[in-house]
Amino acid sequence: AQKVTQAQTEISVVEKEDVTLDCVYETRDTTYYLFWYKQPPSGELVFLIRRNSFDEQNEISGRYSWNFQKSTSSFNFTITASQVVDSAVYFCAKHGANSKLTFGKGITLSVRP
Amino acid sequence: EAGVTQFPSHSVIEKGQTVTLRCDPISGHDNLYWYRRVMGKEIKFLLHFVKESKQDESGMPNNRFLAERTGGTYSTLKVQPAELEDSGVYFCASSPLLAGGPFEQFFGPGTRLTVL
């Protein structure tokens, strides 16, 4: 099976700390897409980023940044200067040749004031 | 613009009963997906509609689950009869049918189903 592994299950940090959420994936597809979603306490999954397999440039959006390393099949997510509002469950997911997203188990991030 | 909506938000039923979950996708989104998250596990794909047609139903657990999308608008997912292992959060997602995809799927808040 083409899995997405988020080895960290729960992370707790103090506000203003940087935190990195790890994501490792398996794939046999030549072309694929990687995603991160955030699930706040309200329950819906909020899209954060989409990255295709041909674009290995790192991306920064405000306090969020993503490091895509095709050689290690990793797509890690860093939050700089974390805030309490960042507390949520974060899911990494992959979309391959078929129509479905394959998700990791999610990482529960708690940011304490 | 309204997002993906799901009804009900919570459902508690007894084993053997029937439950129907509803999803209203974002207007104009031809792709509609159902996913399920059982406690502590991954969110798993159930099926994918393109308009009213089932494109991929490889994730449906068994024939107790029936999904429909009549008219290509809202979708229902019926579980009959429900079993204990069906408990979990059922998510619906939608996305536009455009070239250059796959684009992000927009998720609803989920329906939390508890089977006692």
Side-chain angles (χ1 to χ4, degrees), chain B residues 9-116:
Chain B
S9 55
H10 292 84
S11 181
V12 180
I13 60 172
E14 293 192 352
K15 177 181 170 180
Q17 289 186 321
T18 297
V19 63
T20 300
L21 314 181
R22 174 172 168 141
C23 168
D24 286 78
I26 292 173
S27 177
H29 282 190
D30 289 330
N31 288 310
L32 188 148
Y33 307 82
W34 283 99
Y35 293 84
R36 175 175 75 172
R37 188 182 192 206
V38 172
M39 178 76 77
K41 305 223 169 187
E42 299 90 344
I43 300 171
K44 288 206 168 171
F45 168 84
L46 296 178
L47 88 160
H48 170 210
F49 285 99
V50 176
K51 299 184 182 178
E52 66 275 8
S53 300
K54 290 176 186 173
Q55 184 77 11
D56 180 354
E57 51 184 331
S58 61
M60 294 286 264
N62 51 60
N63 59 10
R64 295 185 294 102
F65 288 75
L66 175 64
E68 294 180 323
R69 193 183 182 196
T70 307
T73 54
Y74 72 90
S75 174
T76 57
L77 179 64
K78 181 192 286 189
V79 185
Q80 180 182 31
E83 298 290 343
L84 298 178
E85 64 264 25
D86 300 332
S87 295
V89 181
Y90 290 76
F91 290 102
C92 176
S94 71
S95 69
L97 190 62
L98 297 170
F103 297 94
E104 63 268 24
Q105 297 178 18
F106 295 84
F107 282 78
T111 293
R112 182 174 296 277
L113 174 64
T114 303
V115 183
L116 303 175

Side-chain angles (χ1 to χ4, degrees), chain A residues 31-50:
Chain A
T31 303
Y32 53 90
Y33 293 80
L34 300 167
F35 296 80
W36 276 93
Y37 282 86
K38 173 182 179 180
Q39 186 184 32
S42 51
E44 77 280 12
L45 290 163
V46 177
F47 165 80
L48 295 178
I49 188 171
R50 174 185 83 146

Side-chain angles (χ1 to χ4, degrees), chain A residues 25 31 36 43 58 61 64 80 84 92 95 100 110-111:
Chain A
Y25 60 91
T31 303
W36 276 93
N58 290 333
S61 176
Y64 295 172
T80 303
V84 173
C92 178
H95 191 299
K100 56 193 178 188
S110 298
V111 182

Side-chain angles (χ1 to χ4, degrees), chain A residues 1-9 21-29 32-37 72-76 90-96 98 100-107, chain B residues 35 37 40-44:
Chain A
Q2 299 189 45
K3 288 173 53 177
V4 174
T5 300
Q6 296 180 262
Q8 304 148 311
T9 52
L21 312 181
D22 298 333
C23 174
V24 175
Y25 60 91
E26 299 172 9
T27 187
R28 291 186 293 273
D29 298 317
Y32 53 90
Y33 293 80
L34 300 167
F35 296 80
W36 276 93
Y37 282 86
T72 56
S73 298
S74 66
F75 187 43
N76 296 337
Y90 290 86
F91 292 94
C92 178
K94 185 181 85 68
H95 191 299
N98 53 33
K100 56 193 178 188
L101 284 171
T102 299
F103 284 88
K105 288 188 178 182
I107 302 169
Chain B
Y35 293 84
R37 188 182 192 206
K41 305 223 169 187
E42 299 90 344
I43 300 171
K44 288 206 168 171

